[in-house]
Amino acid sequence: MSDLGIYIHVPFCAQKCPYCDFYSGSYTASAMDAYINALIRNFKAYSESICVDTVYFGGGTPSLLNGTQLQYILDELKKSFRLNENAEITIEANPSTLNFNKLCEYKSAGVNRLSLGVQSLNSSELEFLGRHHTPERALKAVCDAQKAGFENISCDLMIGLPKQTEDEILSSIKQLASLDITHFSSYILKIEEGTPFYKNNISDKLPDDDYVSELYLQMCEMMKSYGYEQYEISNFAKESYQSRHNNRYWKCQDYIGIGPAAHSCYNGARFAVKPDLNDFISAPKQNVTITDDNPYTFEEKAMLRLRLSEGLLLSECGEKADNIIKKADMLEKSGYISFDGKKIALTSKGFVVSNSIIEYLIFE
């Protein structure tokens, strides 16, 4: 069997951010202990023959786990799966939950990639986003992580905030790049139904699409000037530091999700865990629902491949290749794609309107 990835959803937050619609609840020590016991129980439900190449702790706020708990989880995971010696092990972390000692414990436990939810290095933007760290706290988290031995550090940034300027975005990039982090993820703020931002009509305060597009393109240029190559719509990395786990999703490679609300694509089907912590804790094995019994169709593969800067090979397009070629010339002349006769890839300009470009190429 080919190597696969393990996604672990840690469904706790100290306080929910007003823009977030990911499943999570309030943290208590007893709930965390019960969750960890259920997590281990689900590890044991899988065969030891499964070889794992990436592990990703997402959430929620996985950095609410202390070092002892994380060590225990990874030790138990190794008993149920065959973890590759050079496996990428990532944990998402909120800067407000970190200190030097905890980071040392994470490193000792085997974590080798840190994904920091910085979002901004502007105080007013952090306040708007409901984040509890200051710019100084975020920068200290990066420095502490490096002192603890982390070489692979990613930072999240958010663009498209009300009244956000180009200078504010570029300042955040410049400060983080000066610390020589290896990876950026940058997301455009999207107002999700059911969130406090949705209920408070924050969408009415957001800049228009044209302005956000300009911010995005300026950000892409700034990333490139600092040596970060854009390898996916929202992701930029120094050489050899792309997220191996997230590349699984975009390249249609199998992964198993464990935890309430976790998703999987494994053994020829997509399935999702019930988004209910109590159900996850009480069930002998997590309850899942099949969401797609025919994943990785051509259309899905093509859509995901076109999210990547490496693009889509025409040799993978079968009978649709001729129709795609006919559309490619106009898109290339307009600067939305690059096309060398063998491969189509979106440019940064194309990524701005990726949904429209992909729909036109694949479905029309």
Side-chain angles (χ1 to χ4, degrees):
M1 177 180 287
S2 300
D3 294 343
L4 53 74
I6 300 291
Y7 172 79
I8 297 171
H9 190 77
V10 183
F12 301 102
C13 287
Q15 183 172 326
K16 189 100 169 180
C17 295
Y19 55 85
C20 180
D21 70 336
F22 292 160
Y23 176 75
S24 68
S26 299
Y27 168 86
T28 66
S30 59
M32 179 66 87
D33 288 342
Y35 159 78
I36 291 172
N37 289 335
L39 196 63
I40 306 310
R41 189 165 64 243
N42 277 278
F43 289 168
K44 294 176 179 178
Y46 289 95
S47 165
E48 292 183 7
S49 64
I50 295 175
C51 191
V52 172
D53 186 55
T54 64
V55 179
Y56 194 103
F57 289 85
T61 308
S63 53
L64 289 173
L65 290 163
N66 63 43
T68 301
Q69 290 169 328
L70 189 61
Q71 180 76 68
Y72 175 59
I73 291 169
L74 287 172
D75 286 346
E76 291 297 317
L77 184 145
K78 292 173 187 175
K79 294 177 183 178
S80 297
F81 302 96
R82 290 190 292 118
L83 188 64
N84 285 350
E85 185 177 346
N86 66 340
E88 177 192 84
I89 303 176
T90 303
I91 187 167
E92 293 180 347
N94 187 319
S96 65
T97 65
L98 296 177
N99 57 50
F100 177 69
N101 288 337
K102 178 184 275 191
L103 286 161
C104 289
E105 291 173 345
Y106 283 1
K107 190 69 172 59
S108 178
V111 176
N112 52 30
R113 184 174 184 272
L114 190 67
S115 179
L116 289 172
V118 174
Q119 311 308 357
S120 173
L121 291 178
N122 178 285
S123 296
S124 61
E125 290 180 354
L126 289 171
E127 183 178 355
F128 166 74
L129 291 170
R131 307 295 284 180
H132 290 281
H133 62 271
T134 62
E136 294 76 19
R137 183 76 180 265
L139 293 170
K140 187 177 188 301
V142 174
C143 293
D144 283 347
Q146 291 171 332
K147 290 176 184 176
F150 283 95
E151 297 178 1
N152 195 353
I153 300 173
S154 176
C155 290
D156 287 358
L157 293 176
M158 193 166 285
I159 69 172
L161 310 184
K163 300 180 181 179
Q164 188 178 45
T165 67
E166 177 188 319
D167 286 344
E168 286 164 343
I169 295 171
L170 301 187
S171 176
S172 292
I173 296 171
K174 182 178 180 180
Q175 292 180 74
L176 291 167
S178 71
L179 298 178
D180 201 29
I181 65 167
T182 53
H183 189 283
F184 279 98
S185 294
S186 185
Y187 304 102
I188 296 171
L189 176 60
K190 182 181 179 183
I191 307 302
E192 302 290 353
E193 188 171 351
T195 63
F197 272 7
Y198 180 85
K199 295 174 184 176
N200 294 330
N201 297 315
I202 295 298
S203 57
D204 295 340
K205 301 178 181 179
L206 299 184
D208 62 38
D209 290 345
D210 288 341
Y211 183 73
V212 174
S213 296
E214 285 301 314
L215 292 178
Y216 176 86
L217 291 172
Q218 287 298 319
M219 175 194 68
C220 291
E221 284 298 313
M222 185 76 163
M223 293 288 190
K224 186 176 182 179
S225 73
Y226 280 108
Y228 299 92
E229 290 299 320
Q230 184 173 22
Y231 70 97
E232 193 269 344
I233 290 177
S234 301
N235 288 275
F236 308 79
K238 292 284 185 72
E239 186 176 357
S240 303
Y241 285 101
Q242 294 185 10
S243 169
R244 284 160 51 190
H245 184 84
N246 287 337
N247 266 329
R248 289 191 169 278
Y249 305 147
W250 302 316
K251 295 184 177 181
C252 293
Q253 297 169 348
D254 277 3
Y255 58 96
I256 295 171
I258 302 175
H263 289 252
S264 304
C265 191
Y266 177 62
N267 272 350
R270 289 191 184 279
F271 49 94
V273 184
K274 186 177 180 180
D276 185 322
L277 175 61
N278 291 328
D279 185 79
F280 178 73
I281 289 172
S282 62
K285 184 178 179 181
Q286 61 185 10
N287 291 310
V288 301
T289 301
I290 301 295
T291 57
D292 187 353
D293 58 7
N294 184 33
Y296 300 160
T297 60
F298 163 73
E299 288 77 11
E300 181 178 0
K301 287 181 179 180
M303 287 172 62
L304 291 171
R305 280 285 181 174
L306 286 170
R307 288 184 60 96
L308 295 168
S309 60
E310 65 185 57
L312 175 68
L313 290 171
L314 288 177
S315 60
E316 299 174 339
C317 297
E319 61 185 18
K320 296 197 175 186
D322 289 341
N323 190 41
I324 291 173
I325 291 171
K326 291 177 183 177
K327 301 172 183 177
D329 184 56
M330 181 272 291
L331 292 173
E332 185 176 35
K333 287 179 179 177
S334 301
Y336 292 114
I337 68 168
S338 62
F339 178 49
D340 62 4
K342 297 181 179 179
K343 180 182 71 175
I344 289 176
L346 272 65
T347 61
S348 292
K349 181 180 176 180
F351 282 146
V352 172
V353 288
S354 59
N355 289 342
S356 297
I357 299 296
I358 292 171
E359 182 175 356
Y360 174 64
L361 279 172
I362 305 304
F363 295 101
E364 292 184 8

